[in-house]
Amino acid sequence: MLEILKTGNFTWIDIVNPTKKDMDYLTENYDFHSLDIEDCLSKVQRSKFEEYDDYKFIVLHFPITTRKSYRLTIEEIDIFWGKNFLVTIHSNRFTKLLDLFILVKNNENYKNNYFSKGCDYLLYKIIHDMINMIFPILNQISHEIDLIDSNLDSMKPQNIIERISALRRNIIFLQTSLKPQRAIFSFFENQLKDQEEKDMDIYWGDIGDYILKILETAEDYQELIEGLYSSIDTLLTFKTNNSIKTLTIFSVIMLPLTLITSFYGMNVKLPIAENPLGSYFILGFMGLISIGMIIYFKIKKI
């Protein structure tokens, strides 16, 4: 699906779930490199930036959450960027960008704001909104960490491990998607030339600062998660040792009792075996052994 938004001399083309027909439209109307067109129809694993004489091509990745699952997924945005045009290409799963395009298209105030300083500033505003979308994800991760920490003693260990594993995965996805982009916006801030607005380096620096803040926060959360995992691992080890200790004590107490009963279970003559009260003597002796061993373990604090 291809939609076009024009205001003044500037054009924003938004393509959702790109098809060959959409790419043919771009090829016919813009002088884009064929390799960049191919990248838009395939999945690019790493963020990248290519600069040409008439346009720039950027591939960015952003983490998003789905309504049905807490797991993060990485969505790709391909951007062609020139002096008087901006082309954004993405899937329909990137609902934030879909909603943003509709908002700018239907609201004059937003349209005037986003296009006020040309396509450079329009791209900044779009990426700024995409970056701000990540902060609720960080808040969700923080809330999940607090929930696990406050219920560490009451939650089932299996549930805790599953949640910690999900948090680890989400943070790794967050870091791997944003780390390459920090270098891209650092390049924009310091070396990118031929921009319409002379102060655009300040805006790109602002994006870089946001990304750095997110990465530092994610790193802090990763350390907290490692601490929680270490705590639950220690707790599980302690519980396991207690269980093994209880079973060992029970086995040690039962061992001499089993030995005595096995002797008297044989078809041979043994002391007091023929005595009518012999079974009571044997049971009493076994009870004394059990009590004695229990007292011994108590004294030794085993």
Side-chain angles (χ1 to χ4, degrees):
M1 181 178 67
L2 184 149
E3 292 194 60
I4 301 174
L5 172 61
K6 290 186 177 181
T7 176
N9 296 324
F10 306 115
T11 302
W12 179 9
I13 301 175
D14 187 55
I15 301 177
V16 182
N17 293 336
T19 62
K20 189 177 184 302
K21 183 179 179 181
D22 298 328
M23 295 298 102
D24 289 341
Y25 172 86
L26 295 181
T27 303
E28 292 170 3
N29 292 272
Y30 298 94
D31 189 21
F32 295 152
H33 197 285
S34 59
L35 293 178
D36 296 335
I37 296 294
E38 289 179 9
D39 285 342
C40 295
L41 293 173
S42 61
K43 183 74 173 179
V44 179
Q45 298 296 330
R46 298 280 290 180
S47 299
K48 60 182 289 188
F49 169 69
E50 299 288 345
E51 187 172 11
Y52 300 90
D53 293 335
D54 299 328
Y55 73 95
K56 304 171 186 68
F57 177 64
I58 317 166
V59 177
L60 301 176
H61 297 89
F62 293 96
I64 64 170
T65 54
T66 58
R67 295 179 180 177
K68 296 182 179 180
S69 174
Y70 173 65
R71 293 164 62 91
L72 288 182
T73 58
I74 303 300
E75 287 299 320
E76 177 183 322
I77 302 178
D78 304 310
I79 301 171
F80 293 97
W81 164 32
K83 289 185 177 181
N84 59 357
F85 67 88
L86 183 71
V87 180
T88 53
I89 304 171
H90 57 94
S91 73
N92 60 353
R93 292 185 295 272
F94 212 119
T95 55
K96 177 67 177 179
L97 191 52
L98 284 169
D99 296 339
L100 180 61
F101 183 85
I102 294 172
L103 181 63
V104 175
K105 183 178 180 180
N106 298 328
N107 190 303
E108 286 297 324
N109 291 330
Y110 275 91
K111 185 186 295 184
N112 294 333
N113 182 15
Y114 277 63
F115 284 91
S116 61
K117 296 182 180 181
C119 288
D120 294 343
Y121 186 72
L122 172 62
L123 177 61
Y124 159 75
K125 291 290 290 183
I126 293 171
I127 295 175
H128 182 271
D129 288 348
M130 299 302 103
I131 293 293
N132 281 336
M133 176 188 66
I134 300 175
F135 286 99
I137 296 176
L138 289 176
N139 293 335
Q140 189 176 10
I141 291 175
S142 176
H143 174 73
E144 187 74 9
I145 292 174
D146 292 339
L147 183 65
I148 294 174
D149 185 42
S150 59
N151 296 279
L152 197 61
D153 296 330
S154 57
M155 290 178 64
K156 293 182 178 179
Q158 181 180 353
N159 293 337
I160 295 177
I161 292 173
E162 289 176 355
R163 291 195 175 194
I164 288 178
S165 299
L167 286 172
R168 277 176 162 176
R169 176 190 178 278
N170 288 347
I171 289 179
I172 290 173
F173 268 53
L174 189 67
Q175 291 173 326
T176 53
S177 64
L178 291 180
K179 278 183 179 179
Q181 292 170 192
R182 184 186 172 193
I184 291 176
F185 290 106
S186 177
F187 176 83
F188 284 6
E189 179 184 7
N190 299 313
Q191 301 183 41
L192 194 62
K193 301 177 181 178
D194 300 328
Q195 300 188 89
E196 296 177 56
E197 295 295 323
K198 294 182 179 179
D199 61 346
M200 280 306 298
D201 57 334
I202 299 175
Y203 292 109
W204 299 133
D206 180 58
I207 296 293
D209 291 340
Y210 273 119
I211 293 177
L212 179 60
K213 182 179 180 180
I214 291 171
L215 290 175
E216 288 177 344
T217 304
E219 188 175 347
D220 292 339
Y221 288 163
Q222 191 172 29
E223 291 179 0
L224 287 173
I225 291 170
E226 294 301 327
L228 283 174
Y229 184 80
S230 178
S231 298
I232 188 62
D233 185 55
T234 303
L235 182 62
L236 288 175
T237 302
F238 178 76
K239 289 182 177 179
T240 302
N241 289 341
N242 273 345
S243 299
I244 293 174
K245 184 177 73 172
T246 302
L247 292 173
T248 303
I249 292 173
F250 182 77
S251 300
V252 170
I253 292 175
M254 291 298 297
L255 183 61
L257 308 185
T258 304
L259 181 64
I260 293 173
T261 54
S262 62
F263 269 114
Y264 279 90
M266 294 186 295
N267 191 20
V268 294
K269 291 184 178 181
L270 294 173
I272 70 171
E274 302 296 333
N275 193 309
L277 300 178
S279 59
Y280 297 104
F281 290 132
I282 295 171
L283 288 174
F285 181 66
M286 293 169 64
L288 289 175
I289 292 176
S290 301
I291 294 172
M293 296 187 73
I294 292 173
I295 293 173
Y296 174 79
F297 290 137
K298 286 287 186 180
I299 295 172
K300 293 294 183 177
K301 296 181 179 180
I302 298 176

